[in-house]
Every structure is written in C-alpha cells, then in structure tokens.
Amino acid sequence: MRNVLVMAAVWLIPLVAVFALDAPQVSITAACDGDTTCVRLDWISVAGAVSYQVRGRTQWTGPDSLLAWTDTTSCQFALPTGWDSLFQPSRFGSFNVVAIGELGDMVFVPAGSFTMGQAGVATPEHTVHLTYDFYLDAHEVTNQQYMEALQWALGQDLVTADSSSVQAYGVELLNLDATNYCEIAFNTSTQQFYLVARSYNSGSWGPGFAYPGGYDPADHPVKEVSWYGAACYCDWRSLREGLPAFYQGNWDQSASHDPYLAQGYRLPTEAEWEYAAQWDDERSYPWGNESPTCALLNYHDGGSYCIGWTSPVGNYPLTGRGFSDLAGNIREWCGDGYGSYSSSNQTNPYGIAGSPSRVIRGGCWTGDDTNVQCAHRRNSDPLYASSGVGFRAARTVNP
C-alpha cells in the first residue's frame, strides 16, 4: 500500500490543497447544497494499485475515518455529520487517499527508529532501529480468512482436525470446542470447516444467534487460536502464494532464523507491532493521546462492556498509519519469545529464543483501559487459546 496524503482547508468555496505527498496532480473541489458540503477528490493513479481508500479527519491530530473505497482515481462524497460546522466559518478537514496494491489490505510501514516502551507501562524505555520496510495486515485476521486457509491446509495434508481441535506438528492450532468461543467448526463427515455464531444464554456461550438478534461471524477476528495456529496460518498464506514458508515447525526466532529475512508471511515482531501502533509521534494509544472510550475501541470500560463480544474488524477509527483495532477487540500474538527489556539501543530485535512464552500485544473486548497503550505488553504459553486473542500477519519488504 502507498499513501497519497492530502491536507486541505475546507470552506464552502473550492478547497485549496495545503500540500500533497506522492500526488502532484491532486485536485480538490467543494460545493454547498443546502446544509450539505460535498467534496470531490481527484488524484493521479499509483502504479500497482487496484483500489483506493479515502480517509479523513476533522483535526490536525486525531483518528481517521474511512469515507469511501473506490477503484477509480476520483471520489465525491458529502462530509460526515459535524464536519461542515465544526470550524465555522473557516472549516478544516484533512484527507488521506490510500492506494491498495497487490498485497491486498496490508499497510506499508517504512523503516525507522523509535523509542520502545513507556514510563509506567513497559520499562526500561530504549531506542529501537528497524532497518527493513515491512507490511502489516490492516486488520486482524478474520474467521473467514482463517477458515479458508484451514480448508486449504487440510486438503494439503498439513493439518489434522476433529470436532474439537485442529492440530499440526503435534500441537493444537485452533480450539474448536463448542463450549468455548471459537466461531469456526468442523464437520467430520464432509471434512468441511464452517462458521458459527455464538450466543450468550444463562451464563454460558454456545452455538446460535448472538447479540443483538444475530450476526455474521465472517468478519469478526478469529479467536481460540494458539500462537502455533497463528504461525501456521502465515506459512499457509505463503505457500498459497508460492512463497517460502518461514516457520515449518521451527518456532524460535534467532540469528539463524531471523524473521526480518523471511521472504514470506510471518507474525510481526514485538518491535514492529509497537512501531506501527504508535506511528509516528510516540503516541500513547494507537488512535492518539485521547483517553479510551467506547467510540475509539471495543473494550471493557471498567463498568461494563462496550459490546460484550468482538466486533467486525475495521469498525473503529484508524491509527495514524491506517490500521484498525490495534487496541481493543482482540489481543494479538507477536512472533517474539517473551523476555525483559534491555535499556540498550537495539537493531531489529526479535525476542528471546527458547523462551517458554510468547508476546501478546493490544487490548481486547474483555479487558479494561490498563492494557490498551501502544507500549503495553503481556505474554502467554504458545498453546494458550482464548476468546480474547487473535493475530495479524506481517511481511518484510525486500528482505
């Protein structure tokens, strides 16, 4: 993906572009029809792009909202409610056009340096240098994506499955037990995976229609997946695209098994995850420095659940780089073996080889606001599977 960034001052007369990055021929116009302000954006095509996302915000800092998705280089839309009166009489808005390329909805993150950790959250703070550009999934891997990959892997004899579990390499990848929260099930007669909704009745979850009045689990993040299940998904994704699989049962990241040099998909390193989340201003939360609310993420606000279950991916304001749900909805596995931080500067860190636990990042629908900062970290056994943990995949650019 490449960003075509346009910032403009918005009046009820033609807009004037303040600057344009990677888009020297951007044209912006505005028109007023009664109480509605319409904006038209035109931009030059980006090589390799198959579609474009139009995002916007009403402040210099703050979360982006997805306004439109188009396969053309032009877009016209009415400003969302509140935009046309927020900064009377001179109205401000910024627009970010993101080119979606051959890697689908992965976001490009350029190499760079940042301060990893945060006082009172994860210490000691230390400088990390990432020397490789990388792609990271724009959103968490969904039930639909994981189920399709599972079906392919089963057909390739890469996994075994029964009604309660999917396994490979002698470890469990996905807990299918119906008494738990997994939204993927397996028919042993037809050898087919399928999706199920979950409902909450009399204090327990089970198959059926869930809140409120039913939902489609396809776009909800996959859950009840172990670290091994997340790593194997990355391998399946690589193999399906003709790329070398990185893990293949070698679970440790080390100098001899360096994730930054992988040619295919893999889990992000902990450093890459935090770097992407706080892009590029050392913000406290993925959306900025505003305190968590149910409008910004799906979590437990200390008194009640915002929703009480996961939400479809991409339902909340985007991060500075264009990711969704890096805090809230579901926590995410990283590739690193967990260990204490060092205060020394580090280049392309990949965690502790041989560690008995793996890093988990981000908050979830059951967690409160004490674990949704960009720097917050936790860990668990790689066999751990729950309704609050999923993942997203990464890939190095030109390793």
Side-chain angles (χ1 to χ4, degrees):
M1 300 174 70
R2 290 181 58 196
N3 282 351
V4 180
L5 181 62
V6 180
M7 289 191 178
V10 181
W11 290 275
L12 294 184
I13 58 175
L15 285 76
V16 179
V18 177
F19 66 84
L21 175 64
D22 287 341
Q25 297 177 21
V26 169
S27 172
I28 309 175
T29 59
C32 179
D33 180 10
D35 294 330
T36 302
T37 301
C38 293
V39 174
R40 179 184 175 91
L41 304 178
D42 296 279
W43 56 91
I44 61 171
S45 62
V46 175
V50 295
S51 62
Y52 301 89
Q53 287 183 359
V54 179
R55 304 167 179 169
R57 67 178 66 172
T58 57
Q59 306 176 57
W60 285 107
T61 61
D64 285 345
S65 297
L66 180 63
L67 304 178
W69 198 323
T70 177
D71 57 3
T72 70
T73 56
S74 179
C75 182
Q76 181 171 315
F77 53 88
L79 288 180
T81 302
W83 279 43
D84 59 345
S85 60
L86 188 61
F87 294 103
Q88 293 275 11
S90 112
R91 302 161 185 168
F92 171 80
S94 69
F95 303 95
N96 183 15
V97 180
V98 179
I100 309 298
E102 61 181 5
L103 289 180
D105 51 357
M106 297 192 87
V107 176
F108 172 78
V109 183
S113 301
F114 73 108
T115 299
M116 191 169 181
Q118 181 180 336
V121 179
T123 56
E125 296 182 3
H126 55 287
T127 299
V128 169
H129 307 286
L130 295 174
T131 62
Y132 293 95
D133 301 337
F134 63 97
Y135 289 102
L136 184 64
D137 281 341
H139 57 73
E140 295 146 341
V141 172
T142 66
N143 286 311
Q144 183 70 34
Q145 290 173 318
Y146 199 89
M147 182 186 69
E148 291 176 355
L150 261 184
Q151 195 67 55
W152 177 87
L154 183 67
Q156 301 295 314
D157 295 324
L158 297 175
V159 300
T160 59
D162 56 34
S163 60
S164 64
S165 180
V166 178
Q167 298 194 1
Y169 301 101
V171 295
E172 183 173 70
L173 310 185
L174 190 67
N175 180 4
L176 301 176
D177 192 329
T179 62
N180 287 290
Y181 303 83
C182 188
E183 291 158 312
I184 299 175
F186 183 63
N187 186 318
T188 56
S189 297
T190 63
Q191 295 289 292
Q192 295 292 312
F193 292 96
Y194 61 98
L195 298 181
V196 292
R198 299 292 182 186
S199 61
Y200 189 76
N201 294 301
S202 303
S204 62
W205 288 86
F209 293 100
Y211 79 99
Y215 74 108
D216 182 355
D219 289 336
H220 283 241
V222 65
K223 47 191 68 71
E224 295 292 339
V225 58
S226 70
W227 183 92
Y228 299 113
C232 283
Y233 170 89
C234 295
D235 277 358
W236 305 333
R237 190 165 164 181
S238 295
L239 293 171
R240 293 176 76 184
E241 296 184 21
L243 298 168
F246 174 64
Y247 297 100
Q248 300 185 84
N250 182 353
W251 308 123
D252 271 331
Q253 297 179 159
S254 62
S256 60
H257 192 225
D258 190 333
Y260 299 99
L261 301 182
Q263 296 181 46
Y265 297 94
R266 55 178 174 78
L267 294 173
T269 65
E270 183 180 18
E272 288 174 324
W273 194 99
E274 184 173 331
Y275 180 57
Q278 59 85 60
W279 179 273
D280 62 343
D281 52 13
E282 307 288 347
R283 58 185 59 194
S284 293
Y285 305 101
W287 59 82
N289 293 311
E290 183 180 349
S291 296
T293 68
C294 289
L296 295 171
L297 74 161
N298 180 10
Y299 75 121
H300 188 283
D301 69 3
S304 62
Y305 294 107
C306 291
I307 293 177
W309 190 234
T310 55
S311 53
V313 298
N315 268 17
Y316 290 85
L318 301 170
T319 69
R321 194 65 193 170
F323 298 99
S324 67
D325 300 320
L326 280 170
N329 212 21
I330 206 161
R331 298 185 179 99
E332 301 175 14
W333 289 113
C334 291
D336 298 35
Y338 181 82
S340 299
Y341 280 163
S342 167
S343 59
S344 302
N345 292 358
Q346 297 185 38
T347 299
N348 300 332
Y350 41 69
I352 307 300
S355 173
S357 60
R358 296 294 188 274
V359 172
I360 300 175
R361 284 301 196 113
C364 75
W365 65 277
T366 63
D368 60 25
D369 62 1
T370 62
N371 55 25
V372 299
Q373 299 97 330
C374 297
H376 180 81
R377 62 198 302 251
R378 59 188 300 162
N379 68 96
S380 190
D381 186 289
L383 281 172
Y384 177 69
S386 85
S387 66
V389 179
F391 69 101
R392 68 185 76 206
R395 184 178 169 188
T396 305
V397 178
N398 300 322

